Amino acid sequence: MARLRLDVVKARALEKGHENTKAISEASGVTVSTLNRLFAGTTGPTVDTLLALSLTYDIPQLADLAIADSPADQNAGVLRTIPAPRTEAVA
């Protein structure tokens, strides 16, 4: 199971004034329940959760938000190669 990089999420959240899970939830759209499970380490993040947090906290690589516990969790490096979606307009 991959784990959420709590240090990264909490640091970015604090930079934006989001001091608790409710504030992170309201900003990202990830439910408080999901955040609590992620912070407790009882569940791993989904791609949707990683995308929401990435966009909310301006983290350009999804791999910066997750730690793989085993080589099998890395899915042959998929997390390392998926960039976060662009938010700026493309001309």
Side-chain angles (χ1 to χ4, degrees):
M1 171 177 77
R3 291 177 290 134
L4 186 64
R5 294 268 323 264
L6 299 178
D7 57 331
V8 174
V9 174
K10 288 182 178 182
R12 293 293 181 99
L14 286 174
E15 287 174 9
K16 292 198 173 204
H18 305 153
E19 298 180 1
N20 54 46
T21 53
K22 183 177 180 197
I24 295 170
S25 174
E26 289 171 354
S28 67
V30 178
T31 66
V32 171
S33 174
T34 297
L35 290 170
N36 286 334
R37 289 192 313 265
L38 289 167
F39 290 170
T42 59
T43 190
T46 65
V47 172
D48 288 339
T49 299
L50 293 173
L51 283 171
L53 293 170
S54 175
L55 291 171
T56 300
Y57 296 116
D58 305 317
I59 301 169
Q61 294 290 325
L62 297 183
D64 293 340
L65 284 172
I67 301 169
D69 286 337
S70 71
D73 292 333
Q74 293 178 7
N75 290 330
V78 170
L79 276 180
R80 285 180 279 155
T81 60
I82 301 174
R86 295 177 138 185
T87 56
E88 68 272 2
V90 178

